[in-house]
Amino acid sequence: MGRETKETEEKRKTRHKMVVVGPHVSIITLNVNGLNSPIKRHRVAGWIKEQDPTICCLQETHLSPKDKHRLRVKGWRTILQANNEQKKAGVAILISDKVDFKAKQIKKDKEGQYIMIKGTLHQEDITLINIYAPNTGAPKFVKQLLIELKEDINNNTIIVGDLNTPLTPMDRTSRQKINTEIIELNEKLDQMDLIDIYRTLHPKTAGYTFFSSAHGTFSRIDHILGTKANIN
């Protein structure tokens, strides 16, 4: 009985430490390839509820600026999005009602290729950038966007999205060498102290996110990037 009491006390102390450090935050990202179908919206909403993330980032929503209501998911009332009038591209960020989030600044483009939000999450500064890179010239697009947003990127920045490009040969089943544009993008990431979080934590696991039926190949073109200082 005495040992049980001691274990309970230890657990209480540990739990208290976790509370002091701050609540757990999870971020998920998904290319939804269009959300104009009610059935698909229902499936995506169900998936978000099942995953129960703090922040959910979606790409290729194919919604117009007036379609915010189509992104509603119970429990994720904060919805920030960038859309194209022609219902192309489109990115969105949904933030859970369970967290104390306050937006301070929002940047986005009219093409619906990216949205950046700066704010506080439980009084801690956070900058989140959600990107949908075009199918052609993706590495160049991402590199240029990073240059444009350089002043906004700091140790509290997390970049997610469909970058439409593998960053290493391991990110393709073909193990094809990466081209000059991808090399230049990696150099820019390195200059900005940004790392591919998945590849850093899983250096030998492929973890593909996309299948090309045309080429019969798998690749990892969806990424979550963070600063080296913030990897822990």
Side-chain angles (χ1 to χ4, degrees):
M1 188 71 181
R3 190 170 66 187
E4 283 180 10
T5 306
K6 189 175 180 181
E7 285 177 357
T8 305
E9 284 176 6
E10 289 300 321
K11 284 179 183 175
R12 194 180 297 118
K13 284 177 185 175
T14 304
R15 188 163 61 242
H16 179 64
K17 282 178 187 174
M18 289 173 71
V19 172
V20 171
V21 168
H24 175 74
V25 174
S26 61
I27 299 173
I28 59 172
T29 176
L30 179 71
N31 181 316
V32 292
N33 195 21
L35 283 177
N36 283 290
S37 158
I39 294 171
K40 198 167 186 182
R41 287 200 300 274
H42 180 73
R43 282 175 57 200
V44 170
W47 179 78
I48 293 171
K49 287 175 184 175
E50 184 184 327
Q51 298 294 321
D52 195 25
T54 308
I55 299 170
C56 177
C57 298
L58 306 176
Q59 302 88 39
E60 269 203 285
T61 57
H62 295 176
L63 299 175
S64 76
K66 299 174 184 176
D67 289 333
K68 188 174 180 177
H69 63 283
R70 295 180 188 271
L71 285 168
R72 283 185 190 142
V73 179
K74 191 176 180 182
W76 285 264
R77 276 179 300 182
T78 302
I79 302 168
L80 302 151
Q81 58 175 343
N83 299 108
N84 185 309
E85 291 289 352
Q86 279 75 47
K87 289 195 172 186
K88 294 177 183 177
V91 290
I93 298 173
L94 284 69
I95 299 173
S96 172
D97 297 349
K98 295 177 184 177
V99 295
D100 175 23
F101 174 79
K102 291 181 177 64
K104 292 181 178 178
Q105 183 186 1
I106 300 171
K107 280 187 183 180
K108 54 186 175 180
D109 70 335
K110 293 178 181 177
E111 299 303 313
Q113 302 287 165
Y114 86 90
I115 183 167
M116 182 202 81
I117 57 171
K118 290 175 92 74
T120 57
L121 191 65
H122 295 298
Q123 287 81 52
E124 294 285 333
D125 289 334
I126 184 171
T127 299
L128 189 64
I129 303 170
N130 184 11
I131 302 171
Y132 170 63
N135 290 318
T136 54
K140 203 171 182 178
F141 172 86
V142 176
K143 180 188 169 188
Q144 187 56 41
L145 183 59
L146 291 174
I147 292 169
E148 289 174 18
L149 298 177
K150 188 177 178 181
E151 297 303 315
D152 295 300
I153 296 172
N154 53 41
N155 286 347
N156 302 311
T157 302
I158 297 170
I159 300 168
V160 311
D162 181 355
L163 306 190
N164 254 317
T165 187
L167 295 173
T168 69
M170 195 173 180
D171 293 337
R172 290 177 170 146
T173 46
S174 63
R175 293 294 188 269
Q176 181 184 341
K177 285 185 178 179
I178 54 176
N179 61 30
T180 307
E181 285 190 354
I182 298 175
I183 290 170
E184 289 176 358
L185 171 57
N186 277 313
E187 286 172 352
K188 178 52 66 180
L189 291 174
D190 197 47
Q191 285 170 18
M192 299 175 76
D193 279 333
L194 290 166
I195 55 170
D196 174 354
I197 294 174
Y198 180 85
R199 181 58 64 228
T200 303
L201 298 175
H202 307 277
K204 296 180 181 178
T205 309
Y208 303 122
T209 64
F210 177 73
F211 174 70
S212 169
S213 52
H215 300 99
T217 57
F218 288 92
S219 58
R220 192 170 70 91
I221 58 175
D222 305 84
H223 304 278
I224 297 182
L225 311 175
T227 55
K228 289 177 186 175
N230 210 20
I231 186 63
N232 291 326

